[in-house]
Amino acid sequence: MTSTERDDLMKFTNSSKPVWAEGLEKEMNITCGFHAVLKAEKNKRYNITVAASTFYRLYINGDFIMHGPARCAHGFYRADEIDIAKYLKSGDNDIAIEVAGYNINAYQSLDQPSFLRAEVFEDANTVIATGRDDFSCFVLTARRRRIQRFSFQRAFGESYVLSPGYDAWRVGNPCLKAKKVNSAITEDKRIIPRGIPLNDFTYVTPCATIARGTMKIGPGPKEYRRDIVALNINEVVKGFPENELEIHLSDEVQHFEYTAVDTDEKEYADEISLNSGEYETVALQGEKTGFIGFNVSCSEKSVFYILMDEIITNGDVDPHRMGCLNIIRFDLEPGDYKFLSFEEFGFKYLKAVCSEGAVKISDLHIREHRYPLPVINHYNGENEALKRIYNAAIESFCQNASDIFMDCPTRERAGWLCDSFFIGRTEHALTGENRMEKLFIENFMLPEKFEYLPDGMLPMCYPSDHNNGNFIPNWAMWFVLELSAYYNDTGDNALVIALKDRIYALLNYFKRFENQFGLLDRLERWVFVEWSKANELIWEVNHPTNMLYAAVLDTVAEMYNDMELHDKAEAIRETVRERSFDGEFFVDNEVRDENGVLKATGERTETCQYYAFYFNVATPESHPELWNKLTNEFGPERMNKGIYPEIYPANAFMGNYMRLSLLSKYGLKEQCTDEIVGYFDYMAKRTGTLWEHNTELASCNHGFASFAAVLIRELTENLL
C-alpha cells in the first residue's frame, strides 16, 4: 500500500486548516509560534496530529515533546500523530508549536511555503485546531533571522538573542521575543501519513572535560575559511546576501585566539563556568546527532558560543573542518534560560567559549534524533574489533536514518541515492524490515515530475531542490538496483509495479546517449564513480558506468519480465570486456583521438576492477589472474607496500565496499574479516562511527558506511 492510497487513514478533519502568519508564508527564515490552551479531563484519550513546513517542534506545558515532520516529496506533507495524554494534567494545558519556515532551496529540506496544520482530539472529537480561533500566532525573534546558511546543502544556521522569558509564549505569557500577529489560512496541502514510528529523542550527556583555557579576540586570519557556495547567494542558491547578514558568524570566531591552560582529561562535572575570555571543551563517549540542550544563567550581559566537531584537529575543535556552520552564538541579557537548539548537530566534541560577561552552563546534553525502530540483530561474537565496528555501524545507521536515509547527519542531512542502496541493506540486516526504505523510495515516486531535471531523470538526492539542474546519472541507476533489492528483501511487488513508468522513462533517457557500440557515451552533468582518481576518468566513455548500466538493464528485465533487456545487458558486458580489458586490468575510460575514434586511455583504477567483478563483467573463472591479483596483492595495505603503484587506489565509497562484498561473496571470509578490521577499526575507535572517506577529510559519520554491519553479519551469521 503506497502513501497515495493511505489518505483515508489521516486523522485531520475539516475542522483544521493550514495556517501561517499573514503575508509571511513565502518569506525566508521566519519562525512562528502557535499557542492554544487545552482543557483536559482524566480518563480521556488525547491525540494531536501535526503537519508543517519546514520543521516544527511541539511543547506541552513548556516541555519539549516532539520534532518533525518526516520529510516528503514536493507537494506532499507527512503528518505526525502523537498520543499526548501522558503529558497532560487535569484542567488547562498549554499546547505550543514552534515552526521554522525556511523557504530556501537545499538538499536537507524543500523550498515550499510555510504552514502549520494541527488538530487535537479528545477521544474522537476535535477540541482545538488551526484555522479556527483556538491558536494564537506569534512571530518569534529570539532566533536571529538574517544569518548564513548552515551549508550549501542545509538551510540556515542558528544564533540567538535572549532575554528572560523569551520562551514565555509557550505557556501563554507575554514575551518580548514573540510578536502576536494575525494568522491566515493558506492553500490546501496534500497530507499523507508519517508511515514510521515517532522518534524518542534519547538524552545523552558528556562524559569528559578534555580542555580548559583562555581566549582573546585577535586581528583574524589573512584569509578567512568560508563555505564559498553557501555565501554565494544568487537566484540559484537562495539566502541572505553577505551584506545583509546580522552577524558573520563563521568569520567572527576566526578572530578567537586560544591558550590552553589545562588539557588533562577529567570526568565531566555537569557544569561549565566561564568568565569573559575563557573556554572549556567537553567530549561525548562517541559521536551523536541531535538537538543541543542546556540551562544557562548570567548576572550580566553576556555573549558565548558553542563550537562543535566530530574529531579533534591539531589539538582543538575546528568548527570549519567540514565546510558548515558548526557554531551557535548566544547574546544574553542577565537571567536564567533553558535552551534547546532547533536544528540537529552531530559531534563528539563541544567547545563553549565566553567572549563577554560570564555564564554558568548546566545540564548540557544532546537529545538524539535517530532511527525510530529497535535494532534487533546485534553482534555476539568474541572478536572485539568486529564488535566495535558493528556497533559503530549501528550508530552510523541510526544517526543517518531519523526520518529518511541520509548521507551524513551533519553537513548535509540529504537523502542521496546510491548511499541509500547500502543503507537499505543495513536496515534489513539490523531490523529484519525495510520500513524506512519503503518511504524513502516512495518519495521518488510521488511527484509528477522533478523540476529543473530532464525528462526521465531522477534527483541525485531527495527530497531536495536542484535549482542548478545538477544530477548524477549513475545515482539514478542505483535507484533501480535499490528497488530490486527492496523487493528481494520484502516481496513488496506493489511498489515495483507503481514505479514501472518512472523506471522505463529513465531507460528512455539513457537511450539517447548510447553510441554505435551500445555504450553510454558523454553523459550529462555529474558522472560519479567514487571519491578517487576514478572520478577524474569519466569522459567520454566511462567503463565502470557502463558496467553499472548493464546491471540496471538486467535488473529491469527481471523486475518487469522484459527479456530483450537481458540480451542488451549481456551485449554491453561483452563490449566492455573487449574494449576495456588490456590483458591485465580493466581500463577506466575511452576518449576520441583527433580522427574522432574512441581509444582506451590506459588509465586504470582499483575501483574499476571491483566494478567489473561486482557487476558480473568479470568473474574469478573468466579472469582468474586478475582475481588472484586483487585478492592476494590488493587491500588496505597495498599502497603502503608499493604494490602496483600505477593502479590508482580505491576509496571507502564505494570501491572498498565492493571489494569486501566480493570477498564475502566468493567465500574468502577470513581475509574479509581481516580487511574489515583494517578498513574500519581505527574509525570505530576514534569516533564510534564510520566515515565518508578513508581519512578524516570529510564526514566521520556516513550512512552508507553502516553497510559494514551487513558484511559482518554475512561473515558471522551463526554468532548473531
Side-chain angles (χ1 to χ4, degrees), residues 21-243:
E22 189 172 20
L24 299 179
E25 66 270 16
K26 295 184 180 180
E27 294 295 315
M28 289 189 297
N29 206 20
I30 297 290
T31 303
C32 281
F34 298 85
H35 175 266
V37 175
L38 170 65
K39 189 176 290 294
E41 300 179 24
K42 288 184 178 180
N43 303 319
K44 289 198 173 183
R45 292 180 293 113
Y46 292 91
N47 298 276
I48 186 170
T49 303
V50 185
S53 176
T54 306
F55 297 112
Y56 82 88
R57 55 185 182 185
L58 169 68
Y59 285 81
I60 297 179
N61 297 325
D63 294 327
F64 169 79
I65 305 299
M66 187 58 57
H67 172 97
R71 288 166 282 177
C72 198
H74 285 89
F76 293 82
Y77 303 88
R78 298 193 187 275
D80 294 340
E81 298 179 25
I82 309 158
D83 182 351
I84 60 173
K86 63 183 176 181
Y87 306 113
L88 302 176
K89 59 187 178 182
S90 294
D92 290 348
N93 293 265
D94 292 293
I95 308 297
I97 305 173
E98 188 173 351
V99 186
Y102 289 144
N103 279 292
I104 187 173
N105 57 318
Y107 289 174
Q108 172 203 15
S109 54
L110 298 180
D111 183 6
Q112 299 189 126
S114 307
F115 79 93
L116 169 70
R117 186 176 181 184
E119 191 166 353
V120 178
F121 298 88
E122 181 185 83
D123 294 334
N125 302 312
T126 302
V127 286
I128 59 175
T130 53
R132 309 193 310 191
D133 293 331
D134 302 331
F135 280 92
S136 297
C137 178
F138 303 88
V139 172
L140 308 180
T141 59
R143 180 178 176 181
R144 281 188 167 100
R145 181 186 173 213
R146 293 182 178 273
I147 193 170
Q148 296 160 250
R149 293 178 69 118
F150 181 86
S151 63
F152 168 72
Q153 297 87 351
R154 290 180 65 173
F156 294 99
E158 292 188 52
S159 178
Y160 294 85
V161 180
L162 305 182
S163 54
Y166 81 98
D167 54 357
W169 69 272
R170 294 177 188 156
V171 291
N173 293 331
C175 177
L176 292 175
K177 295 293 182 182
K179 179 183 178 182
K180 190 172 182 179
V181 299
N182 293 327
S183 63
I185 295 173
T186 69
E187 294 180 352
D188 285 341
K189 310 295 180 184
R190 183 70 182 275
I191 308 293
I192 63 177
R194 177 183 174 91
I196 52 173
L198 298 166
N199 304 94
D200 289 332
F201 308 105
T202 313
Y203 201 90
V204 177
T205 57
C207 64
T209 296
I210 64 169
R212 280 189 64 89
T214 61
M215 177 275 289
K216 67 177 182 179
I217 298 177
K222 293 181 179 179
E223 185 174 336
Y224 290 101
R225 297 167 65 190
R226 292 180 167 184
D227 182 353
I228 299 301
V229 177
L231 285 170
N232 185 22
I233 302 304
N234 51 48
E235 65 278 2
V236 174
V237 181
K238 293 177 65 176
F240 296 107
E242 194 168 355
N243 61 358

Side-chain angles (χ1 to χ4, degrees), residues 245-257:
L245 298 176
E246 297 176 45
I247 56 173
H248 201 302
L249 194 50
S250 62
D251 280 7
E252 67 181 55
V253 300
Q254 294 180 63
H255 288 261
F256 295 174
E257 298 176 359

Side-chain angles (χ1 to χ4, degrees), residues 279-295:
Y279 75 87
E280 183 169 322
T281 303
V282 300
L284 304 174
Q285 191 68 42
E287 181 175 352
K288 297 291 184 181
T289 302
F291 308 98
I292 300 171
F294 52 79
N295 299 328

